[in-house]
């Protein structure tokens, strides 16, 4: 035991968990923590808004595959974290959000900058803690990391009253902890895997649907091994994009509202869906009552709550999908299954890709979202990390940017948080400073958190903002064109701001491109730059995203053109 104050105990506990970076902003209720941060053995990155700190911790966690840490003060500081916490919760991202709180005696008395952040955040966290004594802090931190990172990952909140931060006590740091009532499933039931294998063996046309759980568990090699032994196509959810190399001969790309046309078509032609770490969200499968009708469904997931939530399944394999897939591949191999190079699926895949390549036409302008993203893929190295904002830019990325190296692409998929991509890209760059990091952005989404340019410049985290700029809230405008007879309301950005000048004001590099040759030159300059770069790429305000599955429709009702 060592005598120290609660704030020092927090910093020491974070060090013992191997924390390398925290993202945060100080205020009155977390000043004792910030005082101890001066002597911490890890890096602190000062953000310009607490929402940005949560998104940076999120982006860091997705690349490191361990919990990211963000800090905020009480009241508005804490509530500003909530959007980022909810984003992480929707996408199952491990995060530790640490907030200051008013002193214990002031809680419930409407004190200055007091909010019940525990009550506010409970619906979007795996668990929330509020240590009432300094001696409780080390165990709380250890439990928080364990809960955040085990089973189905997610965010955990630690709310620490100011007087608890200042209290001096004899502090012990436990090596082992037990969380009562929390027993996350890890090892799947072998009998269920055997049932799944028997079902696959009987299926004439199996097809794999890979979700975000593949990425969370790092099951890239196991997924590819399963696909190759079955020689069956692999579609992904949008969250699962990047779980399977999109230049692989079996890859079909994402399904869903703005999924690849050939992927939406081919998944309807299978007779056995192997869903791996996917949750059958409405954006992926359209109508729940239509999707998978007449097919057998095998569902692998670490979270038992997902089984049967949106789709009834024939076989459920509950446990870590990496180990479940490994066992499944071994059992299939033992049963003598061998890849068939003359497989029906390979011919059908080629037919569909060729058909839709000739059916879905690009716009005639020199600079379009599709052409720009193809150029980005051509120039970026395979190991580069790419994230996106939310809106049309996100869906164009789904369609036209192929992820080659698994686990190098992510976006806010469950919550669809505008403003996520840019701060998340900074967190990713902090995690992997040696590789290029790109945020594929739209002007509407980038406007929400562009103040993080200051963080990118001052902390020497030079990310690239690939800004598809139509001076519109493009996705809303597309829906207004499609469903509301072109009655535009609240979508025009009116050419404000000038993104080149904005970037330069922060000390970043700003480049406006008017042609493909200028875009190529700008990208090559940005990759080499030691400061962040905003590449402003003007596109037609009426350029739409197709294919499109309208809300309330099934994948069979996909619209492929205007």
């Amino acid at each position: 035991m060592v005598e120290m104050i609660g704030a020092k105990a927090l910093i020491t506990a974070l060090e013992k968990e191997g924390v390398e970076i925290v993202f945060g902003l100080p205020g009155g209720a977390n000043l004792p923590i910030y005082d101890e941060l001066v002597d911490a053995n890890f890096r602190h990155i000062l953000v310009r808004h607490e929402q940005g700190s949560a998104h940076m911790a999120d982006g860091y966690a997705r690349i490191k595959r361990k919990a990211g840490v963000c800090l905020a003060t009480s009241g508005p500081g804490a509530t500003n974290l909530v959007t980022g916490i909810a984003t992480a919760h929707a996408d199952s991202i491990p995060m530790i959000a640490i907030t200051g709180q008013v002193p214990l005696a002031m809680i419930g008395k409407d004190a200055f900058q007091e909010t019940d952040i525990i009550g506010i955040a409970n619906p979007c966290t795996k668990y929330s803690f509020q240590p009432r004594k300094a001696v409780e802090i080390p165990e709380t931190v250890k439990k928080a990391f364990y809960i955040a990172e085990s089973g189905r990952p997610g965010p955990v909140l630690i709310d620490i009253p100011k007087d608890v931060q200042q209290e001096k006590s004899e502090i012990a740091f436990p090596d082992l902890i037990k969380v009562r009532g929390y027993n996350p499933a890890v090892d799947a039931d072998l009998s269920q895997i055997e049932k799944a294998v028997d079902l696959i063996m009987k299926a004439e046309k199996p097809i794999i649907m890979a979700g975000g759980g593949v990425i969370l568990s790092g099951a890239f090699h196991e997924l590819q091994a399963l696909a190759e032994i079955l020689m069956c196509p692999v579609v992904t959810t949008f969250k699962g994009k990047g779980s399977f190399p999109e230049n692989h001969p079996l890859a079909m790309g994402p399904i869903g509202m703005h999924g690849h046309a050939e992927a939406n078509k081919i998944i309807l032609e299978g007779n056995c869906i192997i869903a791996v770490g996917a949750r059958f969200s409405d954006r992926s499968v359209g109508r729940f009552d239509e999707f998978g009708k007449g097919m057998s469904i095998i569902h692998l997931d670490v979270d038992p709550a997902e089984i049967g939530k949106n789709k009834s399944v024939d076989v459920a394999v509950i446990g870590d999908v990496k180990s479940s897939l490994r066992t499944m591949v071994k059992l299939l191999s033992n049963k003598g299954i061998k890849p068939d190079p003359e497989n029906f699926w390979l011919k059908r895949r080629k037919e569909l890709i060729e058909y839709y390549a000739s059916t879905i036409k690009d716009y005639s302008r020199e600079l379009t979202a599709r052409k720009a993203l193809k150029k980005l893929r051509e120039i970026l190295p395979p190991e580069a990390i790419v994230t996106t904002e939310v809106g049309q830019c996100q869906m164009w990325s789904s369609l036209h940017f192929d992820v080659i190296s698994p686990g190098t692409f992510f976006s806010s998929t469950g919550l669809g948080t505008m403003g996520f991509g840019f701060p998340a890209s900074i967190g990713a760059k902090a995690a992997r400073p040696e590789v290029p990091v790109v945020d594929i952005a739209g002007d509407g989404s980038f406007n929400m958190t562009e103040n993080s340019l200051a963080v990118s410049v001052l902390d020497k985290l030079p990310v690239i903002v690939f800004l598809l700029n139509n001076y519109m809230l493009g996705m809303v405008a597309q829906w207004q064109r499609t469903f509301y007879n072109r009655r535009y309301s609240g979508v025009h950005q009116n050419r404000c701001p000038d993104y080149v000048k904005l970037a330069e004001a922060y000390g970043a590099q700003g480049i406006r491109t008017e042609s493909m040759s200028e875009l190529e030159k700008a990208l090559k300059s940005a990759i080499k730059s030691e400061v962040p770069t905003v590449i402003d790429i003007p596109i037609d305000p009426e350029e739409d995203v197709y294919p499109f599955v309208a809300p309330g429709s099934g994948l069979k009702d996909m619209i492929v053109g205007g």
Side-chain angles (χ1 to χ4, degrees):
M1 297 184 105
V2 182
E3 187 176 67
M4 61 178 71
I5 63 169
K8 176 66 175 175
L10 173 68
I11 300 302
T12 304
L14 293 176
E15 290 171 345
K16 287 180 178 292
E17 291 299 322
V19 170
E20 297 170 340
I21 300 175
V22 299
F23 306 88
L25 193 68
N30 67 355
L31 270 179
I33 295 171
Y34 268 80
D35 182 61
E36 294 297 335
L37 270 174
V38 174
D39 302 316
N41 292 324
F42 51 78
R43 181 180 181 187
H44 172 263
I45 292 179
L46 176 64
V47 301
R48 294 305 184 271
H49 190 284
E50 290 90 354
Q51 181 179 336
S53 71
H55 292 329
M56 288 176 203
D58 183 317
Y60 179 89
R62 294 190 198 222
I63 298 306
K64 283 286 191 179
R65 291 192 31 237
K66 66 179 186 180
V69 182
C70 54
L71 306 175
T73 190
S74 64
T79 58
N80 281 344
L81 285 181
V82 172
T83 297
I85 294 171
T87 300
H89 186 260
D91 283 353
S92 304
I93 305 303
M95 177 191 293
I96 308 297
I98 302 171
T99 54
Q101 183 55 276
V102 300
L104 286 168
M106 301 303 294
I107 291 176
K109 300 184 183 299
D110 294 331
F112 177 67
Q113 291 194 331
E114 181 196 356
T115 57
D116 176 12
I117 193 59
I118 298 283
I120 291 169
N122 260 338
C124 57
T125 54
K126 279 189 78 174
Y127 199 77
S128 296
F129 292 95
Q130 189 180 73
R132 314 285 283 189
K133 297 178 181 178
V135 294
E136 298 172 6
I137 290 174
E139 184 178 5
T140 296
V141 170
K142 200 158 194 68
K143 284 181 177 179
F145 274 86
Y146 173 59
I147 293 170
E149 295 176 344
S150 60
R152 181 179 184 167
V156 174
L157 174 73
I158 305 175
D159 185 49
I160 312 178
K162 189 172 183 178
D163 54 338
V164 176
Q165 298 170 40
Q166 295 168 318
E167 180 189 3
K168 184 177 282 190
S169 295
E170 291 287 330
I171 306 288
F173 294 86
D175 294 321
L176 298 172
I177 49 95
K178 182 172 177 60
V179 181
R180 189 172 57 186
Y182 179 67
N183 299 293
V186 176
D187 297 321
D189 185 336
L190 181 60
S191 66
Q192 290 301 103
I193 299 177
E194 289 172 339
K195 286 180 184 178
V197 167
D198 289 342
L199 197 55
I200 292 168
M201 294 284 289
K202 295 173 186 173
E204 294 177 359
K205 295 189 289 183
I207 188 165
I208 295 170
M209 183 175 88
V214 176
I215 298 171
L216 293 170
S217 66
F220 308 119
H221 297 303
E222 291 78 8
L223 176 67
Q224 191 166 328
L226 178 65
E228 289 173 353
I229 197 171
L230 297 177
M231 287 300 283
C232 73
V234 178
V235 302
T236 72
T237 64
F238 182 55
K239 176 72 162 39
K241 184 178 173 72
S243 62
F244 193 77
E246 292 187 303
N247 61 348
H248 191 282
L250 295 170
M252 298 296 289
I255 58 170
M257 178 174 281
H258 290 290
H260 292 207
E262 56 270 22
N264 282 345
K265 177 66 174 173
I266 206 166
I267 198 167
L268 300 177
E269 298 181 359
N271 66 353
C272 178
I273 297 172
I274 307 163
V276 187
R279 58 188 179 88
F280 299 99
S281 79
D282 58 311
R283 284 296 171 108
S284 293
V285 305
R287 290 182 54 167
F288 299 134
D289 60 337
E290 286 187 0
F291 183 80
K293 197 171 184 179
M295 304 182 196
S296 300
I297 300 178
I298 298 165
H299 191 182
L300 289 75
D301 205 284
V302 75
D303 186 359
E306 287 299 334
I307 306 299
K309 187 178 79 175
N310 292 336
K311 285 298 301 180
S312 297
V313 301
D314 296 273
V315 179
V317 179
I318 300 169
D320 175 60
V321 298
K322 184 181 180 78
S323 61
S324 297
L325 285 174
R326 188 184 300 125
T327 303
M328 186 176 285
V329 170
K330 185 176 180 180
L331 290 176
L332 286 165
S333 299
N334 291 343
K335 288 181 179 285
I337 283 196
K338 295 180 180 178
D340 177 9
E342 302 300 318
N343 186 288
F344 156 83
W345 277 131
L346 295 179
K347 180 183 176 184
R348 185 59 177 149
R349 175 185 183 273
K350 185 172 183 288
E351 288 173 351
L352 288 172
I353 289 173
E354 289 177 352
Y355 173 76
Y356 285 113
S358 63
T359 302
I360 303 174
K361 303 295 184 183
D362 194 13
Y363 291 77
S364 59
R365 295 182 67 204
E366 181 180 0
L367 269 181
T368 65
R370 182 185 196 172
K371 291 167 190 165
L373 288 165
K374 296 288 186 186
K375 180 60 67 175
L376 176 65
R377 176 69 284 170
E378 176 190 319
I379 290 173
L380 276 185
E383 69 275 10
I385 295 166
V386 173
T387 184
T388 84
E389 298 294 344
V390 169
Q392 283 181 310
C393 60
Q394 184 184 43
M395 298 298 96
W396 279 318
S397 303
S398 172
L399 290 164
H400 307 307
F401 184 86
D402 288 342
V403 181
I404 299 169
S405 180
T408 57
F409 178 94
F410 64 89
S411 185
S412 170
T413 57
L415 200 64
T417 305
M418 290 183 71
F420 167 82
F422 181 44
S425 73
I426 293 172
K429 186 69 174 178
R432 292 279 309 277
E434 73 280 7
V435 301
V437 178
V438 178
D439 170 35
I440 298 172
D443 48 301
S445 197
F446 179 61
N447 285 347
M448 293 194 173
T449 52
E450 52 79 9
N451 60 5
S452 290
L453 275 166
V455 182
S456 188
V457 169
L458 296 176
D459 281 274
K460 297 181 171 35
L461 296 167
V463 301
I464 301 165
V465 179
F466 190 82
L467 185 64
L468 298 168
N469 184 4
N470 54 16
Y471 293 105
M472 296 276 275
L473 298 179
M475 187 58 82
V476 179
Q478 178 173 336
W479 282 44
Q480 289 176 343
R481 278 193 293 278
T482 306
F483 302 118
Y484 295 90
N485 198 29
R486 303 179 69 86
R487 287 165 57 84
Y488 293 123
S489 176
V491 292
H492 292 94
Q493 303 273 56
N494 295 319
R495 297 189 172 272
C496 181
D498 180 322
Y499 292 102
V500 172
K501 289 181 179 177
L502 179 73
E504 291 172 347
Y506 280 104
Q509 177 179 215
I511 306 172
R512 185 174 175 84
T513 61
E514 302 284 356
S515 66
M516 290 301 293
S517 60
E518 289 180 2
L519 177 58
E520 183 170 345
K521 183 180 177 182
L523 277 168
K524 289 177 178 176
S525 170
I527 289 170
K528 295 176 183 175
S529 177
E530 294 184 358
V531 297
T533 303
V534 177
I535 304 176
D536 185 3
I537 309 162
I539 60 173
D540 189 334
E542 298 209 357
E543 186 175 332
D544 288 330
V545 185
Y546 287 110
F548 178 35
V549 177
S553 302
L555 298 186
K556 66 179 177 56
D557 304 309
M558 172 178 62
I559 304 165
V560 296

